[in-house]
């Protein structure tokens, strides 16, 4: 009887997942595979359309670059926060997560004010005499990338803070006592031990960047469509729910593939660590 108790507690959650996640998802994906019998023609048409392929490549490129930049900025930020005193650590964590407490629409409009032709950056550059006329930064892939990095960098940082908190500072001191510089000790000691957190953060950032809608819509517009904004266009503007379902399925498959690749990388790194040990 005691062995069945955990399953009893899981039952409500499983029911909710089935009725409010799986069934709606299947209702969207089913017509893409079984329009009038089994057929993959909708998927074939998607991958044969150069317009869709361009948007697919742009979406993956933005997600990959955003993930890489978030890792590059998040690792040193998280390490610095994890090594601060308890008082400053709380303050810095609060500052880091503060943007996440603001609505994504508000954050995107803030970037419109910064990147627009009459925005902060253009006005500053023109006042300094660096440029003669405003630079078009808004409604480009660059503006979408900036907004995406700003959106998901706190997630990467907070994921890594939890991991780095458990790395003993004595290891860094031991490496330095053996002749390693601070940078080399960080690369050889802290970074390898932070890999699980980096991979977890990478999954969260990549999947979030791949599926983000509000930021690409407001900062990219119709000139820099991504898969999420394309889904909205197909479903709500053109009433093409089959086409929207195909795009959704492609996004799900990409996410699952990336998660599988990262799991394989994590497994290989664990094996290498065991061998080195």
């Amino acid at each position: 009887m005691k062995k069945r108790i955990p399953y009893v507690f899981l039952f409500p959650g499983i029911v909710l997942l089935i009725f409010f996640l799986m069934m709606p998802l299947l209702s969207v994906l089913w017509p893409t595979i079984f329009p009038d019998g089994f057929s993959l023609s909708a998927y074939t048409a998607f991958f044969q359309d150069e317009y869709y392929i361009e948007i697919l490549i742009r979406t993956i490129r933005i997600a990959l670059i955003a993930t890489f930049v978030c890792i590059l900025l998040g690792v040193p930020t998280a390490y610095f926060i994890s090594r601060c005193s308890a008082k400053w650590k709380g303050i810095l964590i609060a500052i880091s997560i503060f943007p996440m407490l603001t609505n994504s629409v508000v954050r995107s409009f803030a970037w419109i004010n910064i990147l627009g032709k009459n925005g902060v950056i253009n006005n500053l550059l023109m006042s300094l005499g660096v440029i003669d006329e405003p630079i078009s930064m808004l409604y480009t892939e660059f503006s979408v990338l900036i907004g995406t990095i700003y959106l998901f960098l706190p997630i990467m940082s907070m994921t890594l803070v939890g991991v780095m908190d458990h790395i003993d500072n004595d290891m860094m001191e031991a490496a330095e006592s053996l002749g390693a510089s601070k940078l080399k000790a960080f690369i050889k000691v802290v970074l390898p031990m932070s890999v699980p957190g980096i991979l977890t953060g990478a999954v969260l950032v990549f999947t979030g960047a791949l599926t983000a809608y509000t930021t690409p819509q407001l900062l990219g517009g119709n000139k820099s469509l991504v898969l999420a904004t394309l889904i909205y266009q197909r479903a709500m503007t053109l009433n093409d729910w089959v086409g929207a379902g195909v795009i959704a399925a492609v996004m799900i498959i990409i996410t699952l593939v990336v998660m599988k690749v990262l799991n394989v990388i994590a497994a290989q790194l664990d094996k290498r660590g065991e061998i080195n040990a």
Side-chain angles (χ1 to χ4, degrees):
M1 183 63 183
K2 290 183 178 180
K3 292 182 178 179
R4 296 180 181 178
I5 291 177
Y7 297 102
V8 173
F9 287 112
L10 282 174
F11 183 73
I14 294 172
V15 171
L16 289 173
L17 284 174
I18 292 173
F19 282 96
F20 295 103
L21 178 63
M22 297 304 298
M23 290 183 66
L25 186 60
L26 287 174
S27 68
V28 171
L29 298 182
W30 187 266
T32 67
I33 303 175
F34 296 95
D36 293 307
F38 179 77
S39 174
L40 296 177
S41 58
Y43 293 90
T44 304
F46 176 87
F47 287 104
Q48 288 179 344
D49 193 316
E50 293 183 1
Y51 177 69
Y52 289 156
I53 295 299
E54 180 183 351
I55 295 175
L56 174 63
I57 293 173
R58 180 187 299 126
T59 305
I60 296 175
R61 181 169 61 241
I62 289 173
L64 288 174
I65 295 174
T67 303
F68 176 76
V69 174
C70 284
I71 292 173
L72 202 63
L73 298 177
V75 169
T77 302
Y79 181 72
F80 177 78
I81 294 174
S82 68
R83 292 298 177 265
C84 288
S85 63
K87 175 185 175 181
W88 282 105
K89 186 183 296 184
I91 294 172
L92 292 174
I93 289 175
I95 293 172
S96 298
I97 66 174
F98 179 77
M100 299 173 64
L101 305 177
T102 309
N103 188 277
S104 57
V105 176
V106 175
R107 284 181 280 178
S108 297
F109 274 114
W111 279 109
I112 291 174
N113 187 46
I114 294 171
L115 299 175
K117 286 191 175 182
N118 294 319
V120 175
I121 294 178
N122 273 313
N123 287 337
L124 178 62
L125 293 176
M126 291 181 69
S127 64
L128 294 174
V130 178
I131 56 175
D132 296 325
E133 58 183 18
I135 302 172
S136 297
M137 291 180 285
L138 201 58
Y139 307 121
T140 62
E141 187 174 321
F142 170 76
S143 62
V144 176
L145 185 59
I146 292 295
T148 303
I149 293 170
Y150 175 75
L151 189 64
F152 293 105
L153 181 58
I155 295 177
M156 175 64 75
S157 299
M158 292 304 99
T159 302
L160 287 170
V161 166
V163 174
M164 291 183 176
D165 267 339
H166 294 87
I167 298 176
D168 197 337
N169 199 42
D170 291 342
M171 294 185 178
M172 281 285 290
E173 294 177 359
E176 291 175 20
S177 67
L178 293 173
S181 63
K182 287 186 178 294
L183 178 60
K184 190 172 183 180
F186 176 81
I187 294 173
K188 293 290 186 180
V189 177
V190 177
L191 204 56
M193 298 181 70
S194 304
V195 168
I198 292 174
L199 293 178
T200 302
V203 170
L204 293 174
V205 173
F206 181 86
T207 54
L210 187 76
T211 58
Y213 168 76
T214 305
T215 299
Q217 178 63 39
L218 293 177
L219 298 182
N222 292 325
K223 294 182 179 179
S224 299
L225 286 175
V226 294
L227 290 179
T229 52
L230 182 62
I231 287 179
Y232 181 87
Q233 183 187 82
R234 302 304 302 181
M236 307 307 294
T237 305
L238 302 177
N239 201 30
D240 180 13
W241 285 92
V242 173
V246 169
I247 300 166
V250 170
M251 293 172 71
I252 292 170
I253 292 170
I254 292 172
T255 302
L256 293 175
V257 169
V258 170
M259 291 178 66
K260 181 63 177 178
V261 170
L262 291 176
N263 284 333
V264 170
I265 293 173
Q268 292 297 323
L269 290 173
D270 286 341
K271 289 181 180 179
R272 184 176 297 179
E274 291 175 3
I275 293 172
N276 292 335

